Amino acid sequence: MKQSVKMIVGNWKMNGLTADLGEARALTESLSDAPASCRVALCPAATLVAQMAWALKGQGVEIGGQDCHAEPKGAFTGSISAAMLVDAGARLVILGHSERRQGLGETDSLVAAKFETAVAAGLEPIVCVGETLTQRETGQAVPLVTAQVLGSLPDAAASHAFAVAYEPVWAIGTGLTPTVAQIAEVHEAIRSALVQRLGPAGTRVPILYGGSVTPANAGEILQVAEVGGALVGGASLKAASFLAIVRAAEPARVAADAQG
Ligand code: PGA
């Protein structure tokens, strides 16, 4: 299924101080005259969610968190709850990023539990999946990613808005990207897994690609069948490069620019 509205989400990871909010403001200023042909979101560190949401209010850029706890509240020192993100102005939340699956041991079932808590609070999850280089080299990419999709979604997922992001671990922050054929193969497998898990609702879930997306490769990647957008790390930190990726997703805007 080709989707006309692409979702372009910036993941600032553990980067960004108050002084960097200027980059987010510069992004919205440049986007203000653009047609709404894509959804644009930024996911800053938890400390910046409220400030960014306030600074960008009403500017057409949605704000997301990078994680939330599986419990709605309680004695979990250092954690942030889904309701806290909503309270701070977030609408989205990234769940199950490989930097949390690998570094912090997050499992599919924990991601599914976080999904339930996030949607109960009113957040739209972006569930990340992706294989390591060894898994790809041993032919495990498709079965592994399929299992992650099936295991990371709760039974009730069909009744909620959410996205899946395919992020090969070996492509994140490395400058390496899969071929267009490899992206297409995995995105098709994810679509099948979504339909298997959710029925017809699975056809409507946006599937983003993430992992070394840049202004140079975004246009080609966003044309791939079943690629419904991009989850962008490093290139989202600067307004200029993130904007170039957003524009690669906006054919109407590109055509207007070309006409001067
Ligand atoms: P990258 O990160 O664009 O810096 O590779 C993507 C991500 O981890 O979401």
Side-chain angles (χ1 to χ4, degrees):
M1 185 181 65
K2 267 212 153 166
Q3 283 152 352
S4 47
V5 175
K6 305 280 188 194
M7 197 169 163
I8 309 295
V9 182
N11 173 10
W12 276 18
K13 307 192 180 183
M14 200 172 74
N15 299 291
L17 302 173
T18 308
D20 300 300
L21 287 171
E23 292 297 329
R25 280 196 208 94
L27 176 74
T28 53
E29 277 156 22
S30 303
L31 281 176
S32 59
D33 60 340
S37 60
C38 68
R39 268 182 88 182
V40 182
L42 280 175
C43 301
T47 50
L48 286 184
V49 167
Q51 289 182 80
M52 193 182 280
W54 181 250
L56 306 192
K57 203 173 169 60
Q59 312 275 317
V61 174
E62 296 170 59
I63 306 299
Q66 298 176 7
D67 177 53
C68 68
H69 201 279
E71 293 296 331
K73 64 177 179 179
F76 302 104
T77 303
S79 295
I80 185 159
S81 77
M84 288 170 187
L85 289 175
V86 173
D87 189 43
R91 209 192 127 118
L92 301 156
V93 65
I94 298 170
L95 295 179
H97 191 284
S98 69
E99 286 153 14
R100 299 193 64 87
R101 287 181 185 265
Q102 298 218 308
L104 299 164
E106 292 200 359
T107 59
D108 290 345
S109 56
L110 180 64
V111 176
K114 290 184 175 199
F115 185 119
E116 289 193 296
T117 310
V119 296
L123 290 170
E124 189 174 328
I126 301 170
V127 177
C128 301
V129 296
E131 82 285 359
T132 63
L133 190 55
T134 310
Q135 287 162 337
R136 172 156 287 278
E137 285 173 349
T138 54
Q140 293 302 301
V142 165
L144 185 279
V145 167
T146 299
Q148 283 182 325
V149 171
L150 297 177
S152 303
L153 300 179
D155 292 341
S159 15
H160 298 283
F162 71 98
V164 171
Y166 169 50
E167 298 208 306
V169 177
W170 52 275
I172 295 175
T174 59
L176 302 172
T177 48
T179 64
V180 160
Q182 287 171 328
I183 294 175
E185 181 191 29
V186 179
H187 277 239
E188 273 162 32
I190 292 172
R191 177 67 65 209
S192 301
L194 286 168
V195 171
Q196 180 187 336
R197 186 83 175 90
L198 310 177
T203 63
R204 295 188 290 274
V205 177
I207 308 171
L208 318 185
Y209 169 78
S212 297
V213 175
T214 65
N217 62 24
E220 185 181 35
I221 291 171
L222 291 166
Q223 288 304 311
V224 177
E226 298 292 4
V227 171
L231 182 53
V232 184
S236 71
L237 294 172
K238 293 286 168 205
S241 49
F242 192 51
L243 187 64
I245 294 168
V246 170
R247 289 209 164 140
E250 281 192 326
R253 175 59 192 243
V254 171
D257 281 355
Q259 282 165 15

